[in-house]
């Protein structure tokens, strides 16, 4: 452990002078794969020197933010040591607002950039739970699907039935309570007390309220609240991720307001009570109806697009999805996928992400084959491709494909072809959060889902590789002619 810390400290010492020193840094934090450092002046950054540091798999600058790719798991440890060792503040609501006056106004992030950062923070916090639930669903599918003749494993081996029940409870419980987890993470993200997010989450998921789906189908009646003659229909908000995100923000701001305004003597008692009271009224009167309408619109819009544009829509999306990863806009898909799962029980986007990802992996293989005599290219390529297999594309994108362009183009072609195969074979997923090899655990078993998922990824990789080799030869020939 001490040895690892020394390695991370050495990396931190290497990063600091190449970003213009501590005084040029505003705050630091991380997402699933990247150490993110908000800077006052990005012109002081030496990306070439940073990319040569140990364990660094790629470097990218977006607006006033430096992003250093380390990979899932490793980035948590590196970021923790980096913040402690350098003294650069960790990102928080207070830090962000305190630094606004220091930072150059031209470098201040737009509301949309801040929104994407917030989504990243929220879903990074709860991603381990989502992954656990998704993979458990996949494991339970293996137990209950008919794969031995006309029998499932549970039917063939009755002793497994109890294990299957427990696995199912573990999986379904996480997704059933997902809005509560989102409330918790969103409240924490916006500077509130996380327990208050859990508290309003329990209001949303209250067992005293009929489920919204039951009310809509006529299986239950809404609870009617008479407020001075105004009859308000109340239902539960299970599966409403958008509502949960908004309520996390509302609770954080409301709780902080009451803590600041109330005297210390009564603050401890009244601040949380008034926060939940005000938030509950806003939930049922405003946020709930608006959030549900927005969630319905997003879900129906995505489903309509997938059917209206057919295979061509899939091909275009699969071709450009990894370009969206480069911009950071892919962070918004976590909320969309969660809403899709809650509304339809399936996520048709996840397989598209995986095919697009493997296309870029094929781009890396094509690059390695074209540069097989280059030892450095082989070292970087192997590391990047290994990351791709486990659902992380940033090392491939920023370490190889974007720099050389032709692997990026070849990878996009591979992703597009894989997406066409996804449409034709109707591959979907029962959860989200993981792609590549591990994504098979959450593939929906219908329509030979497991086999088709494997074939889709292989197709994306092979097409990406051959397209990269063909395009790369023209690139290299043209570069040699110019030289």
């Amino acid at each position: 452990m001490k040895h690892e810390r020394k390695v991370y400290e050495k990396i931190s010492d290497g990063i600091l002078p190449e970003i213009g020193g501590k005084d040029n840094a505003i705050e630091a934090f991380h997402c699933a794969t990247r150490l993110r450092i908000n800077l006052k002046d990005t012109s002081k950054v030496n990306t070439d020197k940073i990319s040569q540091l140990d364990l660094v798999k790629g470097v990218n600058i977006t607006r006033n933010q430096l992003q250093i790719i380390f990979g899932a798991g490793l980035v948590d440890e590196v970021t923790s040591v980096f913040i402690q060792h350098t003294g650069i503040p960790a990102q928080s609501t207070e830090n962000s607002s305190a630094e606004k006056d220091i930072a150059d106004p031209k470098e201040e992030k737009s509301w949309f950039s801040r929104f994407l950062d917030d989504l990243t923070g929220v879903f990074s916090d709860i991603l381990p739970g989502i992954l656990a639930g998704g993979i458990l669903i996949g494991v339970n599918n293996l137990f209950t699907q008919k794969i031995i003749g006309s029998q499932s494993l549970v039917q063939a081996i009755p002793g497994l039935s109890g294990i299957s029940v427990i696995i199912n409870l573990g999986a379904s419980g996480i997704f059933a309570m997902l809005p509560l987890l989102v409330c918790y993470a969103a409240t924490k993200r916006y500077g509130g007390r996380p327990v208050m997010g859990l508290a309003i989450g329990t209001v949303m998921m209250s067992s005293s309220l009929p489920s919204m789906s039951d009310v809509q189908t006529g299986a239950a009646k809404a609870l009617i609240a008479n407020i001075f003659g105004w009859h308000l229909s109340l239902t539960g908000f299970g599966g409403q991720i958008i509502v949960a995100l908004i309520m996390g923000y509302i609770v954080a701001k409301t709780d902080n307001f009451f803590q600041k305004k109330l005297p210390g003597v009564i603050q401890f008692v009244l601040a949380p009570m008034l926060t939940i009271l005000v938030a509950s009224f806003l939930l049922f009167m405003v946020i709930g109806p608006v959030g549900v309408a927005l969630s319905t619109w997003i879900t129906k819009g995505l489903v309509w697009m997938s059917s209206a544009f057919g295979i061509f829509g899939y091909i275009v999306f699969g071709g450009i999805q990894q370009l969206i990863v480069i911009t950071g806009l892919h962070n918004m898909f976590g909320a969309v996928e969660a809403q899709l799962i809650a509304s339809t029980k399936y996520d048709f986007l996840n397989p598209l992400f995986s095919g697009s990802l493997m296309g870029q992996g094929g781009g890396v293989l094509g690059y390695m084959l074209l540069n097989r005599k280059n030892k450095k290219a082989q070292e970087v390529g192997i590391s990047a491709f290994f990351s791709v297999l486990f659902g992380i594309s940033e090392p491939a994108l920023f370490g190889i494909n974007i720099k050389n362009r032709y692997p990026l183009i070849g990878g996009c072609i591979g992703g597009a072809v894989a997406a066409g195969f996804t449409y034709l074979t109707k591959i979907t997923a029962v959860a989200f959060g993981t792609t590549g090899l591990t994504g098979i655990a959450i593939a929906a078993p219908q329509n030979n889902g497991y086999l088709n998922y494997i074939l889709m990824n292989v197709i994306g990789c092979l097409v990406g590789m051959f397209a990269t080799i063909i395009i790369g030869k023209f690139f290299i020939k043209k570069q040699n002619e110019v030289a």
Side-chain angles (χ1 to χ4, degrees), residues 38 43 49 80 112 127-128 139 157 166 177 193 205 210 294 309 330 343 360 363 375 395 450:
N38 289 335
S43 66
K49 288 286 183 67
S80 177
F112 189 63
L127 187 58
V139 171
I157 310 173
I166 294 173
M177 294 297 167
R193 291 181 287 185
M205 308 291 293
L294 183 59
F309 296 103
H330 67 295
S343 302
Q360 294 302 319
K375 186 177 179 182
Y450 298 132

Side-chain angles (χ1 to χ4, degrees), residues 196-453:
M196 299 304 292
L198 289 176
I200 197 63
T202 61
V203 175
M204 288 179 60
M205 308 291 293
S206 174
S207 59
S208 300
L209 296 171
S211 73
M212 187 176 296
S213 59
D214 286 346
V215 172
Q216 290 172 343
T217 58
K221 291 184 179 181
L223 180 65
I224 304 299
N226 185 343
I227 305 175
F228 296 107
W230 177 24
H231 293 82
L232 187 65
S233 297
L234 308 181
T235 63
F237 291 95
Q240 293 300 320
I241 309 304
I242 304 298
V243 175
L245 280 168
I246 299 172
M247 288 310 301
Y249 175 86
I250 295 292
V251 167
K253 300 305 178 184
T254 305
D255 188 35
N256 287 335
F257 172 81
F258 285 125
Q259 286 190 79
K260 289 178 182 177
K261 298 298 180 181
L262 293 175
V265 180
I266 60 173
Q267 178 203 101
F268 179 77
V269 176
L270 289 186
M273 185 273 287
L274 290 173
T275 295
I276 296 303
L277 181 63
V278 171
S280 295
F281 271 97
L282 288 173
L283 169 66
F284 292 112
M285 290 181 173
V286 182
I287 306 302
V290 171
V292 169
L294 183 59
S295 300
T296 302
W297 180 80
I298 291 173
T299 305
K300 288 185 176 179
L302 283 169
V303 173
W304 173 80
M305 286 174 61
S306 69
S307 58
F309 296 103
I311 191 171
F312 300 105
Y314 271 59
I315 287 172
V316 171
F317 187 86
I320 68 170
Q321 193 272 332
Q322 285 295 303
L323 301 181
I324 297 173
V325 172
I326 295 170
T327 67
L329 294 177
H330 67 295
N331 292 313
M332 72 173 64
F333 285 116
V336 175
E337 289 183 275
Q339 193 60 59
L340 270 175
I341 294 290
S343 302
T344 69
K345 296 184 179 179
Y346 294 101
D347 175 14
F348 70 89
L349 292 174
N350 188 267
L352 289 174
F353 295 161
S354 190
S356 189
L357 165 93
M358 291 306 295
Q360 294 302 319
V364 171
L365 291 180
Y367 170 80
M368 291 173 65
L369 287 170
L370 288 173
N371 296 274
R372 50 189 173 273
K373 295 180 180 180
N374 185 326
K375 186 177 179 182
K376 180 66 175 176
Q378 300 303 306
E379 290 176 355
V380 175
I382 290 171
S383 175
F385 184 72
F386 186 78
S387 295
V388 165
L389 289 177
F390 289 91
I392 306 298
S393 65
E394 283 88 346
L397 287 172
F398 297 109
I400 294 176
N401 295 5
I402 295 173
K403 286 181 181 179
N404 298 284
R405 291 181 293 171
Y406 65 86
L408 181 67
I409 298 170
C412 288
I413 294 172
V417 174
F421 182 82
T422 300
Y423 176 83
L424 293 173
T425 52
K426 300 179 181 178
I427 307 171
T428 57
V430 294
F432 69 100
T434 183
T435 50
L437 286 178
T438 53
I440 193 171
I442 60 173
Q446 293 86 350
N447 305 310
N448 296 314
Y450 298 132
L451 175 61
N452 286 329
Y453 180 86

Side-chain angles (χ1 to χ4, degrees), residues 140-160:
N140 196 53
N141 282 337
L142 292 175
F143 275 74
T144 57
Q145 293 297 313
K146 294 180 178 179
I147 56 176
I148 305 174
S150 60
Q151 288 187 317
S152 66
L153 275 173
V154 169
Q155 290 171 329
I157 310 173
L160 293 175

